[in-house]
């Protein structure tokens, strides 16, 4: 062992600290100020900051206070950089499939499947179709014309064998730091940018056709027009807040085998102009139930 290393170890032993304890030191604002006031120089203080854990207060007022106490700009920048690295480490604690609802998850809608969460990505209905057109025409508008949102494929990618599945909604309020880091949010699309509760969604069942799934999202006759999911097509569900921005959602009754989805509330419209209110571009979080 070199003489310098031996002296350092002996000094640590004399102070009652081990080398591991010394390395575990966590710097604070006051400790950085003390290092600067001791005249160590910017390079030495920055090196210490980069080699040590830090628990810094870095609000705007804290930064101004550091400057007033004589901490140079490069040292303050090193403290900010160290704090940013700590935030990145904290984000690593996010989980995309942890079954614990209190574990931070990226924003989105999840199905609790066995011992993990499965994220349901939104499917966009990029087309609409009409039903009952002949009846509407032959009765001069007395019979209703239905408008349907269509999504491709006959089954959803996410499936469950439970007749009464459990879902978790993670809104941006619960994952704000991750969202600000650039992680895409499924809620940020047009009017959906303000979604904060499952109450803004409707649970529906799809009619399965040859190569697609469709659901009624509007109707029109001589009496007027309606845009949105019809009341009799809605499937009831309960929800409870687990923590700010996180909600647990369960259907109030068992779901028969079939294709389902949570659809964001469609704005009401009137007459043919209802096409402009998003009926043909609904965002649907689809899943399948196959007990």
């Amino acid at each position: 062992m070199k003489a310098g290393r031996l002296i350092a170890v002996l000094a640590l032993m004399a102070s009652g600290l081990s080398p591991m304890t010394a390395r575990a030191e966590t710097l604070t604002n006051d400790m950085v100020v003390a290092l600067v006031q001791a005249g160590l120089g910017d390079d030495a203080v920055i090196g210490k900051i980069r080699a040590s854990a830090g628990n810094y207060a870095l609000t705007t007022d804290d930064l101004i206070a550091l400057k007033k106490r004589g901490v140079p700009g490069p040292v303050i920048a090193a403290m900010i950089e160290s704090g940013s690295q700590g935030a990145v480490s904290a984000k690593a604690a996010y989980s995309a499939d942890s079954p614990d609802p209190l574990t931070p998850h990226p924003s989105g809608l999840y199905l609790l499947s066995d011992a993990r969460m499965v994220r349901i990505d939104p499917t966009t209905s990029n087309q609409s179709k009409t039903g009952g057109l002949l009846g509407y025409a032959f009765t001069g508008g007395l019979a209703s014309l239905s408008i349907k949102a269509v999504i491709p494929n006959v089954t959803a990618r996410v499936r469950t064998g439970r007749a009464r599945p459990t879902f978790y909604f993670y809104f941006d309020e619960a994952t704000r730091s991750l969202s600000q880091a650039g992680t895409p949010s499924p809620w940020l699309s047009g009017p959906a940018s303000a979604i904060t509760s499952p109450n803004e969604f409707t649970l529906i069942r799809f009619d399965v056709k040859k190569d697609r799934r469709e659901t009624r999202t509007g109707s029109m006759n001589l009496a007027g027009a309606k845009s949105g999911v019809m009341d009799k097509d809605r499937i009831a569900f309960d929800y409870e807040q687990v923590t700010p921005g996180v909600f647990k959602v369960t259907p109030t009754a068992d779901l028969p085998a079939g294709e389902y989805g949570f659809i964001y509330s469609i704005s009401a419209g009137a007459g043919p102009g209802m096409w402009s209110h998003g009926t043909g571009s609904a965002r649907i979080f689809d899943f399948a139930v196959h007990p």
Side-chain angles (χ1 to χ4, degrees):
M1 183 179 292
K2 294 183 179 180
R5 173 65 176 166
L6 178 59
I7 292 173
V9 172
L10 290 175
L12 288 169
M13 293 176 63
S15 64
L17 298 173
S18 67
M20 185 62 69
T21 302
R23 287 196 295 269
E25 181 181 40
T26 300
L27 297 182
T28 64
N29 289 32
D30 289 339
M31 294 171 71
V32 171
V33 171
L35 292 173
V36 171
Q37 293 179 348
L40 295 179
D42 291 2
D43 291 341
V45 176
I46 292 173
K48 177 65 175 175
I49 290 171
R50 290 176 176 172
S52 306
N55 183 19
Y56 306 117
L58 297 173
T59 66
T60 300
D61 290 341
D62 293 322
L63 298 180
I64 293 173
L66 285 169
K67 188 64 177 179
K68 289 181 177 180
R69 296 175 70 181
V71 179
V75 174
I76 294 176
M79 295 171 68
I80 296 173
E81 180 182 358
S82 177
S84 299
Q85 291 173 350
V88 171
S89 298
K91 288 169 189 154
Y94 279 77
S95 171
D97 59 5
S98 172
D100 182 2
L102 295 179
T103 297
H105 288 65
S107 296
L109 194 161
Y110 294 79
L111 166 69
L112 181 60
S113 177
D114 297 326
R116 68 190 186 100
M117 296 272 199
V118 178
R119 191 170 189 258
I120 302 176
D121 294 324
T123 297
T124 300
S125 171
N126 54 15
Q127 62 174 294
S128 295
K129 61 174 296 186
T130 58
L133 182 59
L134 289 178
Y136 178 83
F138 287 149
T139 62
L142 293 176
S144 293
L145 167 72
S146 63
I147 301 170
K148 300 178 180 181
V150 180
I151 59 176
N153 303 320
V154 296
T155 189
R157 182 182 64 86
V158 176
R159 309 176 76 176
T160 179
R162 298 180 180 179
R164 196 175 301 191
T166 298
F167 303 89
Y168 286 93
F169 286 66
Y170 287 81
F171 295 109
D172 295 335
E173 177 185 359
T175 57
R176 194 168 305 281
S177 60
L178 191 64
S179 298
Q180 290 176 345
T183 299
S185 168
W187 314 125
L188 301 179
S189 177
S193 60
I195 297 177
T196 59
S197 166
N199 199 41
E200 299 176 63
F201 288 82
T202 300
L203 176 58
I204 52 92
R205 183 176 182 178
F206 288 102
D207 293 324
V208 180
K209 304 299 181 180
K210 181 179 178 180
D211 57 355
R212 65 190 186 277
R213 289 160 289 163
E214 55 187 44
T215 185
R216 189 168 57 163
T217 55
S219 66
M220 180 172 60
N221 57 26
L222 283 178
K226 295 180 180 179
S227 177
V229 179
M230 304 296 103
D231 290 341
K232 66 179 182 179
D233 294 336
R234 298 174 185 267
I235 299 175
F237 61 84
D238 291 325
Y239 68 92
E240 60 179 295
Q241 184 171 342
V242 177
T243 192
V246 180
F247 294 83
K248 177 182 178 181
V249 173
T250 53
T252 58
D254 290 352
L255 302 178
E259 300 291 324
Y260 297 87
F262 286 94
I263 182 171
Y264 180 67
S265 299
I266 299 174
S267 301
M274 73 170 126
W275 291 92
S276 65
H277 287 278
T279 303
S281 59
R283 289 167 61 82
I284 302 170
F285 296 80
D286 59 321
F287 63 95
V289 174
H290 292 285

